[in-house]
Amino acid sequence: MAEIVNALREALGVPSVLGAAEVAEMLAPVGRQFGAPVALVRPRSTAEVSAVLKIAHAAGQPVVPWGGRTGLVDGCRADGAVALSLERMNAIEEIKPENATMRVQAGCILQTACEAAEAGGLFLPLDLGARGSATIGGTISTNAGGNRVLRYGMMRAMVLGIEAVLADGTVIDAMSPLMKNNAGYDLKQLFIGSEGTLGIVTRAVLRLRPSPASSNVAFLGVPSFDCLPLLLRRLERGTGELLSAFEVMWSDFYRLVTTAPAKGRAPLRHGQPFYVLVESLGANPDADAARFEQVLGEALEAGEIVDAAIAKSTAERSAMWALRDDVGQVLRNGPIFAFDVSLKISDMEAYVADVRSLLHERWGSERLSLMVFGHLGDGNLHLIVGVGDSSAEARHEVETLVYRPLRTRGGSISAEHGIGLQKRDYLNWSRSPAEIALMRTLKHALDPGNILNPGKVVAEVA
Ligand code: ZN
């Protein structure tokens, strides 16, 4: 292992390559989930990334890309691998207001990129809880979703061009800023959402949107699940498609984030089975606010909501969003397993009921806690399950009970978090054998030596 470290130090210089002991020290005491890498390289340029991969490719040395390391599926676990961090490639190279594009390096923190867009009078709409540590490269590699997918799509929809380095060090410059480009295969898609298994994303051209001039946010109490899709479609229709978030909380989760020791205050009294945070973003402050209130009034009249609190200031808007972001409260009651599933809205109520009864049957009400919330507007639910046991056996049992009821409903075991290592063994519950075979064909074609984030997403076959 010392050989590879020496070769990397020779190519990049000693300060750019930390050895195993230095990385372990850097990660301690909380970094055990990232494994034990043999080295951490911090290249300063695409040419250096290419040099690293050439060396690794020749040596058959696994390389695991590290972004903000805020993923939830062990995608950056790097046992025995060289961890590759693009933290020093964090520049925003250019913002072009006339084209509404941003050219950025992969190590740039998402929030920094969002703030730079805003300073240029534009808007990068990707928004998620880890915004302060997730990187552009990481959000591209995982095709991150988050809170505004309903309106703006996932990260894939914001990427116009990409630069990526292949396993053998070849640099693919696909940095075209064009929105329409049907000249052959759309190669950037290979690297978006493939979790660093097909190439290392080093730079990107992102599509920016006009900065919204109005933001309207409300918290709504909903009396039954049946009302949720009616309310969603009413808001879409009624706001002229300005609806940008439709975040649902089952009552247990709402109670959790609005009672001490959580800092959040309840904007609505407890007692409804569902609560929804809705947001509309628009261009006409007065007209948008009036329209928003009118649609909510109509929903109230129709009985789709029974209670509503409309934020009247930036502080109130932030306080409402802080409730949705306070997911950390789920750790209050002991060890948990987190899930991120996708299914048709029309299947959700029965799915959650199935999962609840399966878990209840196995663990009983004293041990079981099940929190459900998520981006209902785009079919994505987050389930947080606690059974008072964090063992691998318990995890496996819980996973089986959460994923099995998805199969018959055509759901997905991962809406937005990806597969990594954690969900790999269940990939065939959401993908057909032919799809998985094609994934393997692509992996083999692009990374014949299996050095890029090996073992993640698709299991190796002997
Ligand atoms: Zn989410």
Side-chain angles (χ1 to χ4, degrees), residues 145-147 324 340 373 375 380 382 416-417:
N147 300 328
R324 171 59 186 83
D340 145 54
F373 57 96
H375 323 286
N380 178 186
H382 294 305
E416 58 181 5
H417 295 168

Side-chain angles (χ1 to χ4, degrees), residues 213-214 216 283-293:
S214 79
N216 290 288
N284 304 294
D286 292 342
D288 295 342
R291 190 85 198 111
F292 189 69
E293 280 183 41

Side-chain angles (χ1 to χ4, degrees), residues 223-295:
S224 74
F225 190 91
D226 292 342
C227 292
L228 287 168
L230 298 174
L231 175 63
L232 169 65
R233 301 309 166 204
R234 179 188 296 280
L235 282 160
E236 281 180 327
R237 254 186 345 258
T239 63
E241 297 188 335
L242 299 185
L243 187 67
S244 53
F246 189 90
E247 296 290 317
V248 175
M249 300 175 179
W250 266 242
S251 57
D252 290 356
F253 182 82
Y254 180 66
R255 187 171 292 279
L256 188 79
V257 296
T258 53
T259 47
K263 294 201 175 66
R265 290 256 202 78
L268 299 175
R269 64 181 188 278
H270 293 123
Q272 296 306 320
F274 302 96
Y275 292 85
V276 190
L277 169 66
V278 295
E279 178 192 73
S280 92
L281 299 175
N284 304 294
D286 292 342
D288 295 342
R291 190 85 198 111
F292 189 69
E293 280 183 41
Q294 191 191 327
V295 181

